[in-house]
Amino acid sequence: MSSLFLASQIFLWIAVGVLGVLVAALARQVGVLHERIAPAGALTLHQKVNVGDAGPSMTLTALDGAKVAIGGTRPGRSQLLFFLSPDCPVCKTLLPIIRSANGAESDWLDIVLASDGEAAAHRRLVMAENLAGFPYVLSETLGRQLGVSKLPYAVLLDETGRIASLGLVNNREHLESLFEAKERGVASIQQFLARR
């Protein structure tokens, strides 16, 4: 009986050792896969405009009546145009991230919220989401000139008014990839990774 117990214990420890080796190998493979998977970045849709093109230059009236200059030369300042809609749930989940980016990147970035449609619905969104500190413009022309077809969408204009980066943004990583693409001088994070 004791020899049977000893044999089962030896077999059990061998099985635990083999299992430990398999778990270590699996963990290594997960690490390798994690390194191979690149950050997604903002999805650039097939549109009429490309990075490096001159962005629109216009003055629009915000919901609060203030004049907002879109594009043009802005020494030392870039401008992020964030396109949203009051009935877009993903847009609403990104608003805390937009507020955070506004504070964190305020030394070089101005954020403008943009959309089109009925002003009353947008005013309700401004009140519900505490967006009074942001310029909020309604212009179908602006969206068309930038090829915005899906929301939420963001366009980053550089200091000279040229398009630095753009794309569909669904989370913080996508939004920050626009800043990263501008900093690295590429159209998208995917393009940067392809060069490596």
Side-chain angles (χ1 to χ4, degrees):
M1 184 83 160
S2 66
S3 65
L4 188 59
F5 179 74
L6 184 61
S8 68
Q9 287 294 315
I10 291 172
F11 177 74
L12 181 62
W13 279 108
I14 291 172
V16 167
V18 169
L19 184 60
V21 170
L22 289 174
V23 168
L26 182 61
R28 183 180 176 284
Q29 281 304 107
V30 169
V32 169
L33 285 174
H34 181 71
E35 287 178 6
R36 289 183 186 168
I37 297 173
L43 176 63
T44 53
L45 305 170
H46 298 290
Q47 68 271 340
K48 307 184 256 188
V49 295
N50 295 303
V51 169
D53 290 352
S57 181
M58 59 179 72
T59 301
L60 300 171
T61 303
L63 287 175
D64 63 3
K67 297 294 183 191
V68 179
I70 303 294
T73 302
R74 305 165 56 83
R77 307 288 300 168
S78 291
Q79 190 174 51
L80 179 73
L81 306 175
F82 181 71
F83 291 87
L84 72 163
S85 171
D87 57 356
C88 168
V90 178
C91 299
K92 290 177 184 175
T93 63
L94 284 173
L95 291 175
I97 296 166
I98 292 293
R99 281 193 287 273
S100 173
N102 190 47
E105 310 296 339
S106 62
D107 56 333
W108 66 276
L109 182 68
D110 297 320
I111 298 176
V112 176
L113 304 178
S115 193
D116 61 5
E118 182 187 329
H122 293 280
R123 284 191 179 96
R124 286 191 296 273
L125 178 66
V126 167
M127 295 301 290
E129 299 293 336
N130 193 22
L131 301 174
F134 291 95
Y136 197 133
V137 298
L138 300 181
S139 172
E140 185 178 338
T141 304
L142 178 61
R144 284 187 186 192
Q145 284 186 3
L146 292 169
V148 176
S149 60
K150 296 186 181 201
L151 298 177
Y153 199 83
V155 177
L156 183 62
L157 302 175
D158 69 12
E159 300 80 1
T160 64
R162 296 201 166 277
I163 297 171
S165 56
L166 71 164
L168 189 65
V169 290
N170 290 322
N171 55 42
R172 179 182 293 274
E173 179 185 40
H174 291 168
L175 184 65
E176 289 177 353
S177 75
L178 297 178
F179 304 151
E180 196 67 27
K182 176 189 180 294
E183 184 178 308
R184 299 190 185 278
V186 294
S188 66
I189 290 299
Q190 293 89 344
Q191 184 187 62
F192 172 73
L193 292 170
R195 288 182 181 176
R196 291 170 73 186

